[in-house]
């Protein structure tokens, strides 16, 4: 009568899981509005310098009429008078949308201010992910999820009132505190209450649909409300809906088990059974509590598992380092591919909105293939294919005129986002299954915080394009090729009983070959069967059932 057995009796894909998935979808909409607010509020439209010729002189043509950052005055005899820096600009606003760039005129010499604000956003994400990840394993997944969502919304809200760089940076720092955890903590709650055979479908289809909806409508919401300040209000106020979560959701029973709160875990399962209209005998819960009490007495395990403990044993250390590197690679690739919307010959609002539809086929790709080729195969293939797409896209961007080939470039940008989304989503589920339950909250948070810390360098990677236009794409594609190769050193997790403790994690997948993929093995795992960690501990081999 372990957790998975009792959950199956109480319902692992019933009415409660439906409500859980709906709220997971709502959280994804909030997350998409929040994360990409950085992009929406800072679109920089084409602009020209506002300058007037004085008596006896005229303004020069510097490459294009009225250079964006400076202009030159010429005397009537065509001798140079003087070169001046622009003090004001005329912006070609799309649908009269007022971004922070156009309102505060953060262009030319002041263009760095956007980069500074974005850097504080990522600094906040690093600290916030560590803090809320720790909090999730101290006070519970549900409470931490609510707190992080409200914190991020508060950061967006106060940003809408700023008029200077210091205040803008402070607002983005607060907003960045919840960049990743509001999504990840809700992901963990859904992950732990869904049956293994429904995880891929439930998690990825909801993510694909709801996150896609949030991204597709966000540019149009910005145009509808008219200004970046109003957009931040529209993106932050719906977060108040998470205050209803405690009335509809239960705390993670698996987290309660790691804290030895067995009676509370059993009560959560009782309430789920009632919600799902399942009749479960009371002796089942008594046996459930007895099982975990006996497990403690026999194994003499403590509840002092920490994330640093994953670095003390050789196999878990290897897995952890690979997951950290993968997170760095995927976060940078995803961020650059999702934000680089300008200079493609198409409205950045339209390009961002339309290419966001790639989240749907990306989610379907994972649903259709992840259980068949395995988690390792999906992670490896998505990074490899994404690397190829990114390299080809960079080459075309460098060699095609945006004005004449805007449609082709838009299609390639969409393909690039598709590859980045598949890799990002596949990595999230794969990491959650490898990390033991006892440190899953801190583990997922710390792995993602390293990724976001590395994401700080995204703007510098884009800057490489000033030396050679395809260089950012080449750099990203090389990183993705490296990430694809590293996936081969991780264990397969599909249809296996996942590790609960660090001890389980150390013996997880022992004896498995690096080239093992379920779809190519003659000994495939049949539906509904699992390989228990206990069996692996006893045999020290990962023997798959015929």
């Amino acid at each position: 009568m372990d957790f998975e057995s009792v959950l199956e009796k109480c319902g692992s894909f019933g009415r409660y899981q439906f409500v859980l998935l709906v709220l997971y979808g709502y959280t994804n909409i909030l997350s998409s509005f929040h994360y990409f607010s950085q992009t929406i509020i800072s679109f920089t439209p084409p602009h020209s310098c506002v300058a007037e010729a004085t008596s006896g002189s005229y303004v020069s043509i510097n490459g294009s009429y009225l250079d964006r950052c400076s202009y030159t005055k010429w005397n009537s005899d065509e001798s140079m008078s003087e070169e001046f820096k622009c003090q004001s600009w005329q912006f070609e606003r799309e649908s009269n949308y007022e971004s922070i760039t156009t309102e505060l005129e953060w262009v030319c010499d002041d263009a760095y201010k956007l980069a500074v604000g974005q850097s504080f956003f990522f600094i906040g994400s690093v600290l916030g992910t560590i803090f809320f990840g720790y909090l999730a394993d101290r006070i519970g997944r549900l409470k931490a999820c609510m707190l992080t969502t409200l914190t991020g919304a508060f950061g967006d809200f106060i940003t809408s009132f700023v008029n200077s760089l210091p205040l803008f940076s402070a607002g983005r720092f607060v907003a960045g505190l919840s960049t990743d955890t509001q999504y990840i903590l809700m992901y963990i709650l859904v992950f732990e209450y869904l049956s293994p055979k429904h995880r891929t479908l439930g998690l990825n289809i909801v993510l694909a649909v709801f996150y896609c909806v949030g991204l597709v409508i966000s540019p149009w919401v910005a145009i509808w409300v008219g200004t970046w300040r109003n957009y931040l209000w529209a993106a932050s106020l719906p977060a108040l809906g998470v205050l209803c979560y405690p009335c509809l959701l239960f705390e993670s029973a698996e987290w309660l088990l790691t804290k030895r709160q067995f009676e509370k875990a059993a009560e959560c399962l009782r309430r789920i059974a009632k919600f799902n209209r399942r009749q479960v005998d009371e002796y089942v819960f008594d046996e459930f509590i007895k099982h975990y009490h006996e497990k403690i007495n026999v194994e003499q395990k403590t509840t002092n598992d920490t994330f640093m403990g994953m670095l003390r044993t050789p196999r878990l250390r290897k897995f952890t380092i690979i997951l950290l590197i993968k997170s760095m690679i995927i976060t940078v690739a995803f961020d650059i591919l999702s934000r680089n919307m300008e200079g493609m010959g198409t409205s950045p609002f339209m390009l961002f909105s339309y290419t966001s539809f790639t989240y749907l086929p990306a989610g379907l790709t994972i649903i259709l293939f992840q259980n068949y080729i395995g988690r390792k195969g999906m992670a490896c293939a998505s990074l490899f294919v994404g690397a190829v797409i990114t390299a080809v896209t960079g080459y075309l961007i460098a060699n095609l005129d945006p004005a004449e080939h805007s449609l082709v470039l838009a299609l390639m940008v969409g393909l690039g986002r598709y590859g980045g989304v598949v890799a990002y989503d596949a990595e999230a589920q794969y990491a959650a299954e490898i990390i033991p339950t006892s440190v899953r909250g801190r583990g997922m948070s710390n792995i993602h915080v390293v990724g976001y810390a590395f994401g700080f360098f995204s703007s510098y990677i884009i800057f490489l394009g000033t030396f050679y236009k395809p260089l950012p794409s080449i750099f990203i594609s090389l990183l993705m090729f490296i990430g694809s190769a590293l996936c081969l050193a991780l264990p397969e997790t599909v249809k296996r009983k996942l590790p609960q403790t660090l001890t389980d994690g150390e013996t997880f997948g022992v004896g498995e070959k690096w080239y093992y993929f379920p779809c190519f093995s003659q000994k495939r795992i049949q539906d509904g069967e699992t390989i228990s960690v206990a069996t692996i501990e006893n045999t020290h081999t990962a023997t798959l059932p015929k």
Side-chain angles (χ1 to χ4, degrees):
M1 288 296 178
D2 61 3
F3 173 76
E4 292 183 3
S5 300
V6 177
L7 180 61
E8 190 65 29
K9 293 180 181 293
C10 297
S12 59
F13 198 65
R15 295 170 69 239
Y16 175 73
Q17 282 73 23
F18 176 78
V19 172
L20 189 59
L21 287 171
V22 169
L23 295 181
Y24 174 58
Y26 180 71
T27 302
N28 272 287
I29 293 178
L30 296 178
S31 180
S32 64
F33 270 65
H34 174 69
Y35 182 80
F36 287 102
S37 63
Q38 285 282 98
T39 303
I40 301 298
I41 69 174
S42 61
F43 278 142
T44 304
H47 50 281
S48 56
C49 180
V50 176
E52 295 182 1
T54 58
S55 176
S57 64
Y58 66 94
V59 179
S60 86
I61 299 175
N62 294 331
S64 60
Y65 188 70
L66 296 178
D67 184 74
R68 291 190 304 172
C69 296
S70 65
Y71 62 95
T72 302
K73 286 187 177 181
W74 295 79
N75 297 321
S76 57
D77 59 359
E78 297 190 357
S79 62
M80 181 181 293
S81 173
E82 192 173 355
E83 184 173 348
F84 298 89
K85 287 186 177 182
C86 294
Q87 300 299 318
S88 62
W89 294 262
Q90 181 177 354
F91 295 93
E92 299 177 16
R93 295 177 176 84
E94 182 169 347
S95 302
N96 292 320
Y97 174 72
E98 188 83 87
S99 68
I100 189 172
T101 307
T102 58
E103 179 182 330
L104 302 181
E105 294 189 338
W106 283 355
V107 294
C108 296
D109 289 346
D110 287 337
Y112 76 93
K113 294 181 179 180
L114 282 175
V116 171
Q118 184 173 350
S119 68
F120 274 88
F121 183 84
F122 281 104
I123 292 172
S125 71
V126 171
L127 299 179
T129 304
I130 294 174
F131 173 73
F132 285 111
Y134 170 79
L135 203 63
D137 284 331
R138 295 291 296 180
I139 68 173
R141 319 288 198 224
L142 184 57
K143 293 178 182 177
C145 180
M146 293 174 56
L147 287 174
T148 185
T149 302
L150 293 173
T151 300
F154 177 72
D156 283 338
F157 186 73
I158 62 175
T159 301
S160 67
F161 296 98
V162 305
N163 288 289
S164 63
L165 176 58
L167 294 178
F168 177 71
S169 300
R172 300 323 293 156
F173 173 83
V174 176
L177 292 172
S178 73
T179 298
D180 193 52
T181 46
Q182 70 178 93
Y183 157 74
I184 287 296
L185 293 178
M186 193 64 182
Y187 181 97
I188 292 175
L189 269 177
V190 180
F191 175 88
E192 293 178 348
Y193 277 125
L194 272 181
S195 64
K197 65 180 180 181
H198 291 118
R199 279 175 186 157
T200 297
L201 176 65
L203 289 168
N204 291 293
I205 195 64
V206 171
L207 172 64
V209 172
F210 285 87
Y211 206 84
C212 175
V213 168
L215 293 182
V216 169
I217 68 175
S218 57
W220 307 111
V221 170
I223 291 176
W224 178 56
V225 298
T227 70
W228 67 278
R229 299 181 188 274
N230 292 341
Y231 174 78
L232 288 178
W233 289 8
S236 58
L237 293 179
L240 295 175
V242 302
L243 295 175
C244 298
Y245 282 14
C247 302
L248 301 169
L249 302 180
F250 310 131
E251 183 54 82
S252 166
E254 290 208 53
W255 173 78
L256 292 171
L257 291 175
T258 64
K259 299 301 179 183
R260 297 189 181 184
Q261 300 181 33
F262 306 134
E263 288 75 13
K264 289 185 178 180
E267 180 60 27
C268 286
L269 292 171
R270 283 193 191 93
R271 296 170 69 185
I272 289 175
K274 182 178 180 180
F275 200 101
N276 288 337
R277 298 177 180 174
R278 292 286 190 93
Q279 295 294 329
V280 181
D281 293 332
E282 187 62 29
Y283 86 88
V284 172
F285 301 108
D286 293 337
E287 290 295 320
F288 170 76
I289 296 173
K290 181 180 178 182
H291 167 77
Y292 282 98
H293 276 297
E294 291 177 348
K295 186 176 181 180
I296 290 178
N297 293 332
V298 172
E299 298 178 359
Q300 295 296 314
K301 293 185 178 180
T302 68
T303 57
N304 294 324
D305 284 354
T306 64
F307 177 76
M308 294 305 297
M310 295 181 66
L311 300 174
R312 295 193 182 104
T313 53
R315 286 177 55 76
L316 267 180
R317 180 166 56 244
K318 180 181 72 173
F319 298 160
T320 304
I321 292 174
I322 291 175
L323 291 174
L324 290 170
I325 296 175
K326 278 180 71 247
S327 181
M328 296 179 193
I329 294 171
I330 292 173
T331 301
V332 169
F334 177 81
D335 191 67
I336 293 176
L337 292 172
S338 298
R339 293 176 183 270
N340 191 22
M341 296 289 137
E342 298 175 11
M344 302 295 175
T346 305
S347 160
F349 289 94
M350 295 176 61
L351 187 60
F352 183 89
S353 179
Y354 295 154
T355 57
S356 294
F357 278 107
T358 57
Y359 276 73
L360 289 175
L364 291 174
T365 299
I366 294 177
I367 291 169
L368 294 175
F369 296 105
Q370 187 159 251
N371 281 344
Y372 177 69
I373 67 176
R375 309 294 193 255
K376 179 167 69 175
M378 193 74 240
C380 180
S382 62
L383 283 168
F384 183 83
V385 174
V388 174
I389 293 174
T390 303
V392 173
T393 302
Y395 174 81
L396 293 178
I397 290 175
N399 291 278
L400 296 180
D401 181 8
E404 297 180 1
H405 301 90
S406 59
L407 181 59
V408 174
L409 293 178
L411 290 174
M412 296 309 298
V413 169
L415 285 175
R417 291 192 73 181
Y418 165 81
V421 171
V422 173
Y424 191 91
D425 291 350
E427 189 264 346
Q429 183 171 347
Y430 195 21
E433 292 182 344
I434 291 176
I435 300 172
T437 301
S438 60
V439 293
R440 186 169 290 147
R442 279 167 286 176
M444 290 290 289
S445 296
N446 290 340
I447 285 172
H448 281 77
V449 76
V450 171
Y452 277 107
F454 197 68
F456 178 86
F457 299 101
S458 297
S459 58
Y460 298 99
I461 296 175
I462 295 176
F463 182 72
L464 294 175
T466 59
F467 301 100
Y468 180 56
K469 287 185 178 180
L471 201 55
S473 296
I474 294 174
F475 187 82
I476 293 173
S477 63
L478 288 176
L479 289 179
M480 295 177 80
F481 279 125
I482 294 172
S484 178
L486 289 174
C487 289
L488 298 176
L490 294 174
E492 182 55 70
T493 62
V494 68
K495 299 188 186 303
R496 294 186 177 179
K497 186 173 182 179
L498 303 181
Q500 301 293 313
T501 65
L502 294 183
T503 303
D504 295 339
E506 178 63 19
T507 56
F508 186 72
V510 170
E512 182 181 292
K513 302 297 183 181
W514 66 268
Y515 50 81
Y516 167 73
F517 298 98
C519 57
F520 299 132
S521 174
Q522 294 180 352
K523 298 180 179 181
R524 295 184 183 177
I525 302 175
Q526 302 298 321
D527 288 341
E529 294 180 331
T530 61
I531 296 178
S532 69
V533 174
T535 301
I536 296 176
E537 290 177 352
N538 292 332
T539 62
H540 294 281
T541 59
T543 305
L544 303 180
K546 296 182 180 179

